Amino acid sequence: MDWNKTKTIFILTFFILNIFLSFKLIERKNESQLEVITKSTIEDLLKEMEIKYPKLPQIKKTETHISALNIPFNTEELSKLKQQQYTLNEDGTLIGIFESPITLTNPLQPEEEVAKFISENLVNGTKYSYWKTGEDAKKVYFFQTFDGKPIYFNKKAMLIIHLNEEKQIIGYEQNFLTVQMKEAEQNILPPLKVIEVLLDKQYLQYEGIISKIELGYFNLPEIAGNIQVLAPTWHVVIGNNHYFVDAIDGELLKIGQNWGGEIGTTF
C-alpha cells in the first residue's frame, strides 16, 4: 500500500469537502441576511403606513398539498350517535335531528358551547373549528380541520349546526373529508410576505388593521370524481374583508359565488 499516495488523496478529498461546506455556509448566510433585510423593509413600511397587525404565527417553512375524498360515514361511526335521528344522503351528507332540543347557557355567544357539544356528541366532532354564526343566528358554521388547520369553504368539509327560535340546538348537517395522500413538501410564504402580497395588490391601505392571519387549506378544482386537492393557504382578515392567499405561489384565491349568503338546509 502506497501510504503517501493515500494520504495525498485524503488531503485532497478533505480540501474539496471544506471548499464545498464553506460555499454552503456562505450561501446560507447570504439567504439569511436577505431574509432579515426583506423582513426589516416590510416591517418598516408597515410602521410608516401605520398598519396594525397581530403577533405573527410561528410556522414551519414547508407544507404540502393534500388529496382527500368525501367518504360516507360508516355503520360503526353512526352507531355511536345517541338521542338523535339521522339520515345519510346519497352525496355523503349526514343529517341529524335531536330527539329533544339542547339548551345553551349563553345563546348570544354560542360558539364555545356549541364547539364543546359537537366534540362530545358528533362523529369526528373534535376535528372542526368555528367559522361564524349565520345572520339569522339560526345556523352556526364550522370548518373541518386537518393537522389543526381549517379547510376553508369546502362543502365536503363543513358542519352546520341548526338552532331554533329559542336558540336551542335542534340538528345539524355534516360532511367530512378523509385525507388519502400528502404530496412532497414545498417552501411556503412567511406571514410578512403574504402581507406584502396584499399591499402590492392594494387590499391593504394606510392605517389598515389586520385582525387575523392564520394558515389553513383551500380546495383547488376537483381533478377526478370527488377527489379534492387542498392547497396550504393563508387566511388574512383586514377590516371586514377576508383574503385567502395560496401559501406556495402567492396567488389570491377567490371564494365561490354561492358562499355569499346563508347556506344549508332549512330545518
Side-chain angles (χ1 to χ4, degrees):
M1 178 178 181
D2 189 339
W3 172 245
N4 288 330
K5 185 176 180 181
T6 303
K7 185 168 67 173
T8 302
I9 293 173
F10 269 112
I11 292 172
L12 287 173
T13 301
F14 280 109
F15 178 72
I16 294 171
L17 179 61
N18 283 333
I19 292 175
F20 174 76
L21 292 176
S22 298
F23 174 77
K24 296 301 290 183
L25 182 62
I26 293 171
E27 186 180 52
R28 288 185 179 181
K29 185 177 180 181
N30 289 339
E31 288 177 353
S32 177
Q33 289 175 340
L34 180 60
E35 186 176 334
V36 170
I37 291 171
T38 304
K39 179 179 178 182
S40 176
T41 303
I42 297 172
E43 287 180 334
D44 290 343
L45 180 59
L46 293 174
K47 187 175 182 179
E48 288 177 13
M49 295 181 67
E50 298 184 29
I51 292 172
K52 297 180 180 179
Y53 57 95
K55 182 179 179 181
L56 300 177
Q58 298 295 316
I59 58 159
K60 63 177 187 176
K61 294 184 178 181
T62 60
E63 283 291 345
T64 175
H65 287 81
I66 57 176
S67 300
L69 284 172
N70 180 223
I71 299 176
F73 297 98
N74 59 47
T75 304
E76 182 181 354
E77 292 172 324
L78 296 176
S79 67
K80 298 177 182 178
L81 299 175
K82 306 299 181 184
Q83 298 181 330
Q84 58 183 281
Q85 297 178 350
Y86 58 81
T87 303
L88 190 61
N89 290 349
E90 291 183 1
D91 65 356
T93 302
L94 177 62
I95 307 292
I97 300 177
F98 294 103
E99 295 174 357
S100 300
I102 312 300
T103 301
L104 301 174
T105 57
N106 187 9
L108 296 179
Q109 294 180 312
E111 52 268 26
E112 288 188 13
E113 195 171 352
V114 174
K116 183 176 185 298
F117 175 81
I118 66 175
S119 70
E120 297 173 350
N121 295 277
L122 271 61
V123 178
N124 296 324
T126 59
K127 297 180 180 179
Y128 292 88
S129 64
Y130 172 79
W131 171 250
K132 73 168 188 175
T133 300
E135 295 175 3
D136 61 0
K138 290 184 178 180
K139 297 188 184 81
V140 185
Y141 297 88
F142 289 82
F143 291 155
Q144 182 187 332
T145 62
F146 176 72
D147 281 349
K149 304 178 189 70
I151 301 172
Y152 303 112
F153 294 100
N154 188 317
K155 285 185 177 180
K156 298 300 182 182
M158 182 175 284
L159 170 64
I160 306 173
I161 300 296
H162 289 262
L163 309 177
N164 60 16
E165 294 289 346
E166 288 72 37
K167 302 299 181 286
Q168 298 171 308
I169 300 174
I170 57 174
Y172 62 92
E173 302 169 65
Q174 183 180 9
N175 278 282
F176 190 82
L177 283 175
T178 301
V179 173
Q180 301 292 306
M181 183 177 65
K182 297 176 69 173
E183 298 181 10
E185 295 276 336
Q186 299 184 64
N187 291 329
I188 64 170
L189 301 176
L192 276 175
K193 185 63 180 177
V194 177
I195 293 175
E196 184 182 9
V197 168
L198 295 173
L199 272 171
D200 290 343
K201 294 182 180 295
Q202 298 185 345
Y203 291 114
L204 185 55
Q205 304 289 336
Y206 180 76
E207 294 185 340
I209 298 176
I210 300 173
S211 59
K212 186 175 189 178
I213 179 166
E214 67 174 0
L215 189 63
Y217 292 96
F218 203 97
N219 59 295
L220 302 177
E222 293 185 7
I223 56 175
N226 66 343
I227 297 176
Q228 300 269 353
V229 178
L230 308 175
T233 301
W234 283 107
H235 170 216
V236 184
V237 181
I238 303 173
N240 294 322
N241 299 315
H242 296 258
Y243 300 94
F244 298 88
V245 180
D246 190 306
I248 293 175
D249 62 20
E251 179 185 357
L252 188 66
L253 303 172
K254 295 182 180 180
I255 302 170
Q257 295 296 320
N258 57 333
W259 293 105
E262 295 296 306
I263 57 175
T265 302
T266 300
F267 274 45

